[in-house]
Every structure is written in structure tokens, then in C-alpha cells.
Amino acid sequence: RMMTFSAGALNSMGKKSSYGSTGAHLWVTGMGGEFGYNGNKNSSAAIVTTKYSHEPYEYQDLRDRDTPWRKNKDKYKDRRYYTHIMNGTSSGAPTVTGVSALIIQAKPDVTVPQIRYILASTANSDTSPGWSGLKYSAVKSKVSAYGGSTITHDPGWFTNGAGLRFSNRYGFGVVNAAAAVSKALYCEEDEYCSRRAELPSDYVSTNDTPCSSDDGGKNITCSFTDFESTDNYGPSRPLMEIEDIAVNLSSLVYDGNTDSGKCIQAANANQNGIAHANSLLQIEMKSPEGTTSLIKSVYANWDFNARTMHNERPSFSYNSNFMIYTSAFYAERASADDSFILNIKSECPIDVDNLNRSIRIRTGGYAL
């Protein structure tokens, strides 16, 4: 099985970079910076890095060429091969990769699940000393399309059932190289870390027709249970510790039996209709331990519609996997018979019968 993780970006002020993506899929955050010096009061620091062995004038790098960093003639010789406008995923991902490399150096036989655990359990969160700048409140507003009810767009920081802090802006927090290396050196003495010396087993929910709606597909509740093993690594129906979890949404389509123009467009896979309808689509999942993860927030566009994918990719079927992940339930525990509850709220009705064709939850876990 392939195991990956997503990294967010932090700026020099100790807050999420303006361009940084948010979501329940985030794992940790690295140093991403902002856009660098641009000669006005809105300038902000990015990341200093090398540009191989080329002089600044060899690039059309106008923003960086005339910065104070470059203009200081006394330091030009030392600084000429550097830039301080590097930002984005080009710097955020390498900083996380660099900490991961230090973990590997400290523990050469480390596994990917162990790296994931070490990064998550040692990251600086809103409660870490000196990192209060990461704090932010839940974002909520009243949405007229839902009768003026108050909708949560971002839950802010919370503690999951395993005692780990998590947020949709920073994942488990900002990577901490020193703490990560220390944890790696003593990994075998940590039950969570030592357990991850092997890959997790895969389990999938097997209960039929998990989703239902009392209002024609605008408010849907799905209950996933009866988890069965899909491989030979562990017991078929265990008490498990969650490594990763995802919901398959390959059969999520809008109901064509509607009298709303924009919803008809969405059901017919018109791109503008999809974007508009998806911006008023919210998806939340609740774990057996009571943690709620906001997987898709209202006003966040998803340019996805299963019928579109079927038309554009003939090999795509409703049994194909279109897995949407959440990191919020990491290291929580669940039995095979426990229920994960998914709630979908949509302005445009969703075809519940079609949704039930293949929606399911897949989780990687360690039998306890």
C-alpha cells in the first residue's frame, strides 16, 4: 500500500501562509514563507535558499534582484547565489522532507508509518510553548441557503480521541526537528511508534445501504460499520488503532429530478453548475470516539462530479475509488462493529440511491 501525507505552509509571522490550502487531509505544516520583498509596505519574508551558481542578472528575477539582500555591496559576493523569495509548496514540502530525513538519519530502519507518527506527535500546535500565534477561533456564519442556520466553515483547533491536537489549517502542527529526532531515537520505547514498525492492515465497511435522507437528498446521514479485513495482515474483525481513514465518494452525484435551474445544471454535469452546487455542499464525519471532522466546508468548491468522471474517463466506474481522506481520527480506536457517521448537507439534492451504490469507508489500522 502507498502511504503519503500532505503538508501545509507557515509564514514568517508564525501563521498559515496566505496561499496555503486547508483541509482535513493535512498532516503537518512546514516553513513556506510568503511572497518575499516587493518594495512596498506589504513585503513579507519568504525563504532564503540557493539558486545554484548563477548570478542574479542571469534570471528575470526582478523582485529579488533589487532587494536589500542583494543591494548590500559589502555582502553581494556572499549572497549572490541566494534568493529570498522562495515560497509555496516549493519550500513547505522540502522543510518537512528535511525533518523526515533527520528522522531517517537517527533511525535508519524507520518505517513510513513511524515517520508519520513521529511528525504528528512532536509537531508544535496551538498549545505548545511559544506557538500561541497558531491559535485561531472556529469560523462560523449564517447561510441563507440553509434557512439562515449557523454553519461551521472551520472548527479551529481540537483534541481528538487519541489526545492529539489537530486543525484544518495546520494539521497536527508545525514540524519540530529536535523533538522529532529525539522521538526517533526512542521509538521502540513508545508503544504507538513501535507498533508502526509494520504497515497497517486495511479494513472496509461492509454494511448495505449506509445512507438515507428524509428530505429528498438535501440532508443525508450515512452510518458505516461491519468493518472487514481486505488483506491477510491482521484479524478479520479487530479492535483497531486507526492509521488512516477515507470515504469513497465515487458515486456522489446530484439528483436530476429537480426544478431548480442551477441544480439541473449540476445534475447534468455543467461545470458552472457543479462549482455552484459544490460551494453549498458540506460533509462532516464523526468517529466512534466522538471526534467530528469537517471534510468539506460550505463555500469550498469541489470540481468533482461522478457522472462527469464517467463521461471523461470511460474506465471509471461507480466501483472505482475516489477516496477523500481525513487525518483527524489518527491513533483513535474503533471496533469492527463501531459506527462512523457521515453527514452531507447540500443545497442541490443528491441521488441517495446512486450514492449507496459504492460509498464506503476504508481504514488502515493496527489490531489491538
Side-chain angles (χ1 to χ4, degrees):
R1 72 200 308 276
M2 180 179 294
M3 300 190 70
T4 61
F5 50 87
S6 300
L10 193 77
N11 65 22
S12 63
M13 302 302 293
K15 298 183 182 296
K16 184 184 79 67
S17 299
S18 60
Y19 53 80
S21 297
T22 62
H25 64 290
L26 283 180
W27 196 254
V28 289
T29 295
M31 304 300 176
E34 286 290 350
F35 299 103
Y37 181 86
N38 57 19
N40 60 43
K41 64 181 180 179
N42 296 319
S43 298
S44 57
I47 302 294
V48 176
T49 186
T50 58
K51 273 201 168 180
Y52 304 104
S53 58
H54 295 278
E55 296 278 3
Y57 64 79
E58 295 180 51
Y59 290 90
Q60 296 301 313
D61 197 353
L62 300 179
R63 289 186 302 159
D64 197 42
R65 188 172 63 188
D66 296 323
T67 63
W69 175 267
R70 299 284 201 194
K71 280 187 171 181
N72 187 331
K73 295 180 180 179
D74 294 336
K75 299 292 184 180
Y76 179 79
K77 184 177 179 181
D78 297 326
R79 296 175 176 177
R80 59 181 174 171
Y81 297 145
Y82 289 81
T83 174
H84 70 169
I85 62 168
M86 181 184 180
N87 69 339
T89 54
S90 297
S91 58
T95 58
V96 176
T97 302
V99 176
S100 300
L102 292 174
I103 293 172
I104 296 170
Q105 185 177 31
K107 181 177 170 53
D109 63 345
V110 71
T111 64
V112 173
Q114 287 176 330
I115 293 176
R116 283 162 50 92
Y117 167 73
I118 291 170
L119 291 174
S121 62
T122 60
N124 292 306
S125 72
D126 63 323
T127 58
S128 300
W131 289 89
S132 60
L134 297 178
K135 293 181 180 179
Y136 69 102
S137 300
V139 180
K140 301 180 180 181
S141 72
K142 292 183 178 180
V143 179
S144 59
Y146 294 136
S149 58
T150 299
I151 301 296
T152 298
H153 307 289
D154 187 327
W157 284 95
F158 58 87
T159 302
N160 75 1
L164 294 170
R165 296 290 285 170
F166 184 83
S167 82
N168 279 19
R169 289 190 186 179
Y170 302 101
F172 293 105
V174 182
V175 290
N176 183 329
V181 169
S182 179
K183 177 81 76 171
L185 291 172
Y186 296 96
C187 175
E188 306 309 323
E189 300 174 18
D190 183 315
E191 64 170 316
Y192 290 92
C193 196
S194 60
R195 187 176 293 129
R196 286 164 171 76
E198 304 292 337
L199 289 176
S201 299
D202 282 332
Y203 302 92
V204 64
S205 60
T206 61
N207 58 312
D208 294 330
T209 58
C211 303
S212 62
S213 174
D214 294 329
D215 61 1
K218 291 189 175 182
N219 288 276
I220 299 172
T221 299
C222 307
S223 178
F224 303 96
T225 186
D226 299 335
F227 286 85
E228 296 281 357
S229 174
T230 62
D231 54 40
N232 298 318
Y233 294 138
S236 60
R237 296 176 61 80
L239 170 65
M240 75 179 104
E241 183 177 287
I242 297 170
E243 176 65 24
D244 53 43
I245 192 163
V247 57
N248 181 23
L249 294 179
S250 67
S251 56
L252 174 64
V253 298
Y254 295 108
D255 191 341
N257 299 317
T258 176
D259 57 3
S260 171
K262 62 190 172 189
C263 294
I264 291 174
Q265 288 181 334
N268 292 333
N270 176 278
Q271 187 65 21
N272 293 328
I274 293 171
H276 185 89
N278 279 350
S279 70
L280 287 169
L281 171 69
Q282 177 175 282
I283 303 175
E284 290 185 331
M285 190 191 300
K286 188 173 184 178
S287 73
E289 292 206 30
T291 301
T292 298
S293 175
L294 181 60
I295 294 176
K296 162 71 171 65
S297 63
V298 171
Y299 300 135
N301 286 335
W302 271 6
D303 291 330
F304 160 73
N305 180 288
R307 289 199 179 102
T308 301
M309 295 184 74
H310 293 188
N311 293 336
E312 295 178 353
R313 296 167 52 192
S315 62
F316 184 89
S317 72
Y318 288 112
N319 292 322
S320 300
N321 289 328
F322 187 78
M323 311 304 290
I324 304 299
Y325 287 80
T326 175
S327 304
F329 307 148
Y330 180 64
E332 290 191 354
R333 297 184 174 188
S335 74
D337 298 321
D338 283 338
S339 296
F340 289 83
I341 305 299
L342 190 78
N343 292 116
I344 303 175
K345 181 186 291 289
S346 177
E347 183 186 27
C348 293
I350 289 170
D351 186 335
V352 180
D353 290 336
N354 197 78
L355 184 64
N356 276 322
R357 291 175 66 174
S358 64
I359 190 170
R360 63 189 182 277
I361 283 181
R362 185 202 61 78
T363 178
Y366 293 92
L368 300 173

